[in-house]
Amino acid sequence: MVIMIQASYFLAAVLFILGLKQMSSPVTARRGILWAGVGMVLATLVTFLDPSLHGVSNYVLMVIAIAVGGGYAWQKGKSVPMVDMPQMIALFNGMGGGAAGAIAAVELFGAIDQTQGIPGIGVSTILSTDVAIVAIVGAFIGTLSFSGSLVAWAKLDGRFKRTSLVPQQHWVNLILLAVVVYLGVRLFDTDSTLVVLLFFALVLVLGVFVTTPVGGADMPVAISLFNALTGLAVGLEGYVLDNAAMIIAGTVVGSAGTLLTQLMAKAMNRSVWNVLFGGFGQASAGGEASEIEGSMKEIQSQDASIMMAYASQVIIVPGYGMAVAQAQHKVWELAELLEENNVSVKFGIHPVAGRMPGHMNVLLAEAGVPYDKIFDMDEINPDFPSATVALVIGANDVVNPDARNDKSSPLYGMPVLDAAKAENVIVVKRGAGTGFSGVENALFYQENTQMLYGDGQKVVGDLIQYLKKL
Ligand code: NAP
């Protein structure tokens, strides 16, 4: 029986790793998710059927938890619109962290129960030194990720917009972190439930406090960081429970999430410390962004289509608005039409365009855009000065030149796509809406920029119609 269980866990772990490997390419990603899902079902089934892992009396609770959690996830996963995917990821990520934190709580409270008030006996005596340390660290990371991810979800969903909850938020956060570390050390040898309760309560508050100031354009770094933390917490609690599948799944998620965090942080030009304890999303010089000079000029679809038809090179920059408008299929149709007119077309993708890592790549892949037409920021930026037209569709923050030029801009320091350097810039958006960061965009006021107002899908549809008539 034990060998069967271990073999099943091993198989589940192999499926996680192979699944993740396949997720590294959009071509095989769908299959990868399926494989990892099968691994997760297998691990859940084995845990469910292995009586050594729980009392028989827990079956009812387990069935209720699986029915509620599984039912909600199934229903939500099928109905969630693509633009709401980041919120869902934040929510599910938080649940993973919460589950790891809950496992740690069960272990820590259970250990304290067993100390039975005998002097000199504490958590580490009951659990052993290594397990106690791992359980406490996992408790900290998982619980922080839980409350932090919930705040990230509320922010992404537009339900929570505050950037501080107390005066001098960042200093309060640092003090709170110090108190939590102190309590974590105390926990190691404690026999008091109060210390455990206080520890968990303060870590929950810390998660809320460190995520609240995250604003501007920095949320992607925070989300991928919580993703990494959740994986790590699950791996650590797997060690506590001696569960190989949890250790491997957690480590895989933790390391993949860490790499993603590094990539996101690099893309945003932020350090992870700055993400959590720095002056997040606030103007680096402490002031308001400079007044923007110039005025916005409007262009009509017909003129825009003529301009593009006679261009030698068009670079399309998609952003969140393209996802909202679900315009990706039309955008690719437009690109194909332009290519038939001997216009060279490329797509320039910013690493944090949209609302989740790889958001634009997924949408363009779904529309059938070949990968060799899609270029990363570093690859495409040298091409902008020689492009006849940069067609910006629903992108805003990722093309804001102030991020390079204006030290007082809240976006200053974030690398951006150099659409501003193209000979002509056409910006498709519905009106005067700002981007995720809420910062005004100097690109829209530039001499070489013209605004093409309307819903992304409708406008691109019009462009296609006019191009066909030419
Ligand atoms: P953005 O800065 O959020 O701007 C999107 C623009 O699209 C808005 O200015 C909006 O203007 C326009 N828009 C909205 N609906 C539209 C529609 N139906 N048709 C046409 N235009 C529409 O987008 P972005 O340039 O892609 O930048 C992404 C931002 O999100 C960054 O600040 C990034 O840090 C942040 N973020 C990214 C992630 C990630 O992982 N990628 C996660 C969280 C946050 P109108 O309202 O005037 O139309």
Side-chain angles (χ1 to χ4, degrees), residues 111-134:
I112 284 180
D113 253 6
Q114 288 177 47
T115 61
Q116 293 167 343
I118 303 166
I121 305 280
V123 164
S124 61
T125 332
I126 304 292
L127 290 180
S128 84
T129 307
D130 57 335
V131 174
I133 293 174
V134 171

Side-chain angles (χ1 to χ4, degrees), residues 93-163:
N93 191 35
M95 295 304 122
I103 290 172
V106 169
E107 292 298 315
L108 293 170
F109 281 120
I112 284 180
D113 253 6
Q114 288 177 47
T115 61
Q116 293 167 343
I118 303 166
I121 305 280
V123 164
S124 61
T125 332
I126 304 292
L127 290 180
S128 84
T129 307
D130 57 335
V131 174
I133 293 174
V134 171
I136 294 166
V137 175
F140 170 71
I141 296 174
T143 313
L144 185 89
S145 181
F146 171 65
S147 57
S149 298
L150 290 187
V151 174
W153 163 78
K155 286 197 151 216
L156 286 169
D157 214 37
R159 293 166 192 256
F160 180 63
K161 297 203 164 86
R162 297 182 64 162
T163 51

Side-chain angles (χ1 to χ4, degrees), residues 86 156 216-220 223 264 268 318-322 324-325 351-360 393-399 411 414 428-437 444 454-457:
L156 286 169
D218 295 325
M219 194 54 101
I223 291 178
M264 287 284 141
M268 304 301 296
Y320 175 65
M322 184 189 80
V324 177
V352 301
R355 290 292 181 273
M356 62 180 177
H359 201 167
M360 295 301 120
I393 301 180
N396 193 335
D397 293 342
V398 301
V399 287
L411 293 177
M414 167 181 156
V428 177
K429 71 201 291 286
R430 294 163 309 175
T434 51
F436 184 78
S437 68
F444 305 160
D455 171 75
Q457 191 173 148

Side-chain angles (χ1 to χ4, degrees), residues 33-350:
I33 287 176
L34 202 69
W35 285 26
V38 170
M40 192 54 83
V41 170
L42 181 65
T44 311
L45 266 180
V46 174
T47 310
F48 189 71
L49 297 174
D50 178 5
S52 70
L53 294 173
H54 49 79
V56 173
S57 61
N58 282 343
Y59 269 116
V60 176
L61 276 179
M62 286 165 66
V63 170
I64 294 175
I66 290 174
V68 173
Y72 177 80
W74 179 264
Q75 159 67 21
K76 263 286 184 212
K78 277 184 10 178
S79 63
V80 66
M82 195 63 184
V83 283
D84 290 347
M85 201 62 105
Q87 289 94 303
M88 200 174 96
I89 290 172
L91 199 60
F92 287 170
N93 191 35
M95 295 304 122
I103 290 172
V106 169
E107 292 298 315
L108 293 170
F109 281 120
I112 284 180
D113 253 6
Q114 288 177 47
T115 61
Q116 293 167 343
I118 303 166
I121 305 280
V123 164
S124 61
T125 332
I126 304 292
L127 290 180
S128 84
T129 307
D130 57 335
V131 174
I133 293 174
V134 171
I136 294 166
V137 175
F140 170 71
I141 296 174
T143 313
L144 185 89
S145 181
F146 171 65
S147 57
S149 298
L150 290 187
V151 174
W153 163 78
K155 286 197 151 216
L156 286 169
D157 214 37
R159 293 166 192 256
F160 180 63
K161 297 203 164 86
R162 297 182 64 162
T163 51
S164 71
L165 291 169
V166 290
Q168 300 293 329
Q169 181 81 66
H170 292 297
W171 287 109
V172 174
N173 292 357
L174 282 175
I175 293 166
L176 198 54
L177 175 67
V179 175
V180 164
V181 170
Y182 168 75
L183 280 174
V185 174
R186 279 281 318 275
L187 243 179
F188 182 70
D189 259 336
T190 192
D191 59 355
S192 155
T193 38
L194 192 67
V195 176
V196 185
L197 277 175
L198 201 59
F199 172 78
F200 276 104
L202 289 185
V203 180
L204 283 173
V205 175
L206 184 65
V208 174
F209 276 19
V210 289
T211 320
T212 299
V214 178
D218 295 325
M219 194 54 101
V221 187
I223 291 178
S224 46
L225 181 64
F226 286 137
N227 181 20
L229 291 180
T230 290
L232 193 58
V234 168
L236 291 172
E237 296 313 326
Y239 181 84
V240 172
L241 293 183
D242 199 16
N243 183 314
M246 273 176 75
I247 295 176
I248 296 172
T251 313
V252 165
V253 174
S255 46
T258 305
L259 286 175
L260 186 62
T261 308
Q262 277 175 348
L263 280 173
M264 287 284 141
K266 190 165 162 256
M268 304 301 296
N269 209 7
R270 306 268 189 210
S271 72
V272 173
W273 176 262
N274 187 269
V275 165
L276 288 188
F277 294 101
F280 227 104
Q282 291 158 11
S284 40
E288 288 287 306
S290 310
E291 192 88 351
I292 298 175
E293 288 173 9
S295 62
M296 290 201 227
K297 296 169 290 303
E298 197 175 340
I299 187 172
Q300 301 304 322
S301 301
Q302 189 170 11
D303 296 332
S305 62
I306 294 171
M307 187 191 280
M308 286 192 286
Y310 295 104
S312 56
Q313 187 176 42
V314 172
I315 300 179
I316 300 178
V317 178
Y320 175 65
M322 184 189 80
V324 177
Q326 285 292 296
Q328 62 274 19
H329 293 277
K330 286 251 177 291
V331 169
W332 175 226
E333 198 183 331
L334 174 75
E336 281 184 299
L337 259 179
L338 286 170
E339 289 198 320
E340 280 169 21
N341 277 357
N342 293 322
V343 181
S344 142
V345 181
K346 290 180 175 176
F347 288 82
I349 310 282
H350 192 282

